[in-house]
Amino acid sequence: MKIGKQDVLLENGIYNYQIDYKMKKAITEYGNQYEIYFNGIGQEWGVPIEKANIVIKMKNGNLYENGENSNFEVYTGKKGERNQNFEARMESGKIFISNLTRLNENEGISFIIHLDKNKFDKNILNQINNEAQRSFEKERNDFKNLALRGISLVIGFIILMALSIYVWVYYLKAKNTKYFDEELSPVEVAYLSGNDNLEKLTEVAILSLLKKKCISIKEKTMKMIFISGKDELPEEEKIILEAIRNNYQKEDKFYEKSLEMKKMLEKKYRNLKKDSKKYYFPFFLGVIILSILFFTTTFENLSIYIGFFIFFAVSYFISLDELSYFRIIPIFFIGILLFNDISKNILYILEIIYFWGLFEVFNYIFKNNSSIKKWIDELKKYIEDKIFKNSWEMDRFERRRIYDIILPYSVALHQNRRVSQCFIKEFGEEEYKNQNVNFFSNNLIINEVQKTFDAVRVKWGKIASKNKRFGSGRSFGGSSGGGFGGGGGGSW
């Protein structure tokens, strides 16, 4: 044992040190006696000791009752010596021992106390031994927990480094990934950009068919007339065109076809969600492993950890949003560790914060480097550069063709008004009206679709009826007498 600092020299004076410690099995049994053997002043002091005072007492009770003959031995000197350089006395059940003359280097004081089994309270002996045993076990457990904490922190660091490498490798892979191989339709762009409203998807499909000259629209009556079909049309546009071509007489049928289109898109891009779980899976494994490391050193009850493990696993696989999951779980971890002991868990908390930040970085890379996201971003950039900044070198005919392609996409990306304004500036008001570009800059289509679909929802009991809204308005398709397509063959 060492006290003080090696590089600090104390000035001359008196310094008092109190050293408290416990011994395991300090009392041994010999025949009909208990014996306590102890080095009160050890024999390894490298300096002389002028005066040593030893007081021996029981925590509960006296060593010897009043009038009882004490039975103890005292020896002084170096190891193995039995010198008598001491004085001892018994007072109030305590033994007082001190040296008569100076103890030289490597000289000490040892004593042996003999206690009669029949007179000594065995409960006190058991208490002493039990306290010593508990103290020993506590020290052993403290050392075990310290070792576990050290191991768990090292493993946690390794896990975090592995996740860091995973994020870096994914970033390099995403950076070199080619853009989406297939050309997305305007309806797909709307859906993948978050515009999954049924009316909005239907509007984009109608306007795309309009620019491809598959249908025409009479502005005054809002009649939609089928012109021709094309094999190369995207499936979602074919569904809407089929509804127009078959001249459905009821609003319900067109609403059902729009629902069919949306469900087809949901099914087609369902794997995007599955892919996200696949790419986030290493972080899920990281959560599980870190929870094992943290909770095995925080909770002694294994059932608590098992409960957390089940909670993490089930909540991950049923979660609809990985972003929310990996933000809530670290907060939960930190709360648990703060609740226990922040001083002991500060390194754990730093590891969790690093894990949290690492996930945020990965999420940013994942969300912004998918091939579909790149395709849409490139489209936005093209519209920005070519249309809004007018930075293209093409003849008038080619520029007009590009506008026909871009207009439906601009509706999907909520850029239709600016694109229409650029069209007017480029080609004039007359062509703007003659080419039905006005449908892209106003809300005629979406309003009619909204009224038609709301009427169906009221009919089906999905929303409450609003008489003012549905009582006198014209129905989409220019019907006379309440049906769809009442104006003649081929119209919808």
Side-chain angles (χ1 to χ4, degrees):
M1 179 179 66
K2 295 181 180 180
I3 298 176
K5 294 182 178 179
Q6 186 176 359
D7 58 343
V8 176
L9 183 63
L10 296 177
E11 297 179 358
N12 292 333
I14 297 174
Y15 299 90
N16 296 319
Y17 294 92
Q18 178 176 324
I19 304 169
D20 297 321
Y21 57 94
K22 294 180 181 180
M23 293 180 61
K24 181 183 179 184
K25 295 182 179 181
I27 300 177
T28 56
E29 184 178 350
Y30 288 99
N32 64 344
Q33 288 187 334
Y34 292 123
E35 182 179 285
I36 301 175
Y37 179 85
F38 193 74
N39 293 320
I41 303 297
Q43 287 88 8
E44 295 184 5
W45 288 98
V47 294
I49 298 174
E50 293 292 335
K51 194 67 176 178
N53 296 304
I54 300 171
V55 180
I56 306 168
K57 61 182 179 179
M58 295 290 293
K59 183 177 180 181
N60 298 306
N62 297 326
L63 281 169
Y64 302 100
E65 298 297 333
N66 291 333
E68 182 182 356
N69 291 327
S70 58
N71 184 6
F72 63 90
E73 306 169 41
V74 179
Y75 304 103
T76 63
K78 297 181 179 180
K79 285 183 180 180
E81 296 181 345
R82 293 196 171 197
N83 301 330
Q84 299 294 304
N85 178 23
F86 73 92
E87 62 177 353
R89 72 182 190 277
M90 182 79 178
E91 185 179 316
S92 301
K94 302 175 184 177
I95 298 175
F96 295 85
I97 304 172
S98 61
N99 58 314
L100 294 173
T101 61
R102 183 175 71 173
L103 297 173
N104 295 319
E105 293 181 15
N106 299 320
E107 289 186 344
I109 302 175
S110 302
F111 60 82
I112 304 173
I113 300 175
H114 304 282
L115 303 169
D116 191 338
K117 273 186 180 181
N118 297 324
K119 295 183 178 179
F120 189 74
D121 189 347
K122 193 169 185 177
N123 290 330
I124 295 177
L125 178 64
N126 291 334
Q127 181 181 358
I128 293 172
N129 284 329
N130 289 338
E131 286 183 0
Q133 182 68 23
R134 284 194 296 270
S135 175
F136 176 76
E137 290 178 354
K138 182 179 182 300
E139 290 175 0
R140 184 176 62 183
N141 289 333
D142 288 344
F143 177 78
K144 177 183 175 182
N145 288 335
L146 184 63
L148 280 174
R149 284 176 177 274
I151 293 171
S152 64
L153 286 170
V154 171
I155 297 176
F157 176 79
I158 294 172
I159 295 299
L160 292 175
M161 291 304 98
L163 285 174
S164 301
I165 294 171
Y166 171 75
V167 171
W168 178 248
V169 170
Y170 178 82
Y171 168 72
L172 294 177
K173 179 182 177 182
K175 187 177 180 181
N176 297 319
T177 299
K178 294 180 180 179
Y179 294 157
F180 196 57
D181 292 336
E182 302 175 12
E183 181 176 312
L184 296 172
S185 71
V187 180
E188 288 175 313
V189 169
Y191 180 78
L192 294 170
S193 299
N195 300 320
D196 57 353
N197 176 273
L198 186 61
E199 286 84 345
K200 185 67 178 179
L201 295 175
T202 305
E203 177 199 28
V204 174
I206 290 172
L207 290 172
S208 182
L209 292 170
L210 179 67
K211 291 318 296 177
K212 293 174 182 176
K213 295 184 170 45
C214 295
I215 62 171
S216 63
I217 303 175
K218 301 295 184 182
E219 185 172 351
K220 292 184 179 180
T221 60
M222 291 303 294
K223 285 184 181 179
M224 303 185 66
I225 301 173
F226 172 79
I227 298 177
S228 65
K230 296 180 180 179
D231 293 335
E232 66 273 13
L233 286 176
E235 287 300 317
E236 57 273 12
E237 292 181 10
K238 287 181 179 179
I239 293 172
I240 299 301
L241 185 62
E242 181 186 353
I244 299 171
R245 180 171 54 193
N246 291 341
N247 191 22
Y248 288 130
Q249 296 298 309
K250 292 184 177 180
E251 301 144 329
D252 310 48
K253 297 296 183 181
F254 189 74
Y255 182 76
E256 289 174 356
K257 280 294 179 181
S258 293
L259 283 176
E260 180 185 335
M261 173 188 68
K262 184 177 179 181
K263 288 178 180 177
M264 186 209 69
L265 290 170
E266 291 172 348
K267 183 178 180 181
K268 181 177 181 180
Y269 292 104
R270 188 181 302 157
N271 286 334
L272 287 178
K273 177 59 67 176
K274 292 182 180 178
D275 285 346
S276 67
K277 284 193 180 295
K278 178 180 69 176
Y279 287 114
Y280 286 122
F281 191 73
F283 283 91
F284 168 70
L285 290 179
V287 167
I288 295 299
I289 296 173
L290 290 175
S291 68
I292 294 173
L293 299 175
F294 296 164
F295 293 150
T296 49
T297 57
T298 305
F299 300 104
E300 295 181 359
N301 191 342
L302 184 61
S303 62
I304 295 178
Y305 162 69
I306 294 174
F308 283 133
F309 179 87
I310 295 173
F311 169 75
F312 295 147
V314 173
S315 58
Y316 175 74
F317 286 106
I318 66 174
S319 63
L320 298 177
D321 182 12
E322 288 79 11
L323 185 60
S324 299
Y325 175 84
F326 286 110
R327 283 176 174 170
I328 292 172
I329 294 301
I331 293 174
F332 180 75
F333 273 3
I334 292 174
I336 291 292
L337 296 173
L338 287 176
F339 179 77
N340 279 271
D341 188 346
I342 186 172
S343 61
K344 292 182 179 179
N345 295 320
I346 186 65
L347 292 178
Y348 285 150
I349 292 172
L350 291 176
E351 284 194 347
I352 292 172
I353 292 173
Y354 182 82
F355 173 87
W356 195 351
L358 196 63
F359 169 76
E360 293 293 345
V361 170
F362 177 80
N363 182 70
Y364 177 81
I365 296 171
F366 181 79
K367 296 294 185 183
N368 291 278
N369 284 278
S370 67
S371 55
I372 291 178
K373 175 77 165 48
K374 287 181 179 180
W375 198 96
I376 295 174
D377 287 345
E378 282 295 301
L379 176 61
K380 290 179 180 178
K381 188 175 183 301
Y382 184 87
I383 293 174
E384 181 73 28
D385 292 342
K386 301 301 183 184
I387 305 294
F388 299 155
K389 295 181 181 179
N390 197 23
S391 60
W392 48 8
E393 296 180 1
M394 303 179 185
D395 57 32
R396 179 183 175 86
F397 176 80
E398 184 63 19
R399 293 202 300 273
R400 182 67 184 81
R401 188 186 69 81
I402 295 296
Y403 266 103
D404 285 342
I405 297 172
I406 291 298
L407 278 167
Y409 287 105
S410 69
V411 179
L413 298 171
H414 297 291
Q415 295 178 324
N416 47 313
R417 290 186 181 277
R418 288 188 66 189
V419 172
S420 297
Q421 290 170 359
C422 292
F423 183 95
I424 294 173
K425 185 177 179 181
E426 184 90 14
F427 302 104
E429 284 277 358
E430 192 64 31
E431 189 162 356
Y432 168 77
K433 293 179 180 179
N434 291 339
Q435 297 295 326
N436 286 329
V437 180
N438 56 318
F439 286 121
F440 291 85
S441 60
N442 57 44
N443 295 320
L444 286 176
I445 300 292
I446 190 68
N447 288 342
E448 294 300 325
V449 172
Q450 181 74 59
K451 285 193 291 185
T452 299
F453 286 0
D454 280 350
V456 176
R457 292 183 183 116
V458 169
K459 182 178 178 181
W460 289 4
K462 290 190 174 184
I463 60 173
S465 175
K466 298 179 182 178
N467 293 330
K468 290 184 179 180
R469 184 168 186 175
F470 301 112
S472 58
R474 66 188 177 189
S475 61
F476 193 21
S479 62
S480 58
F484 268 74
S491 67
W492 172 55

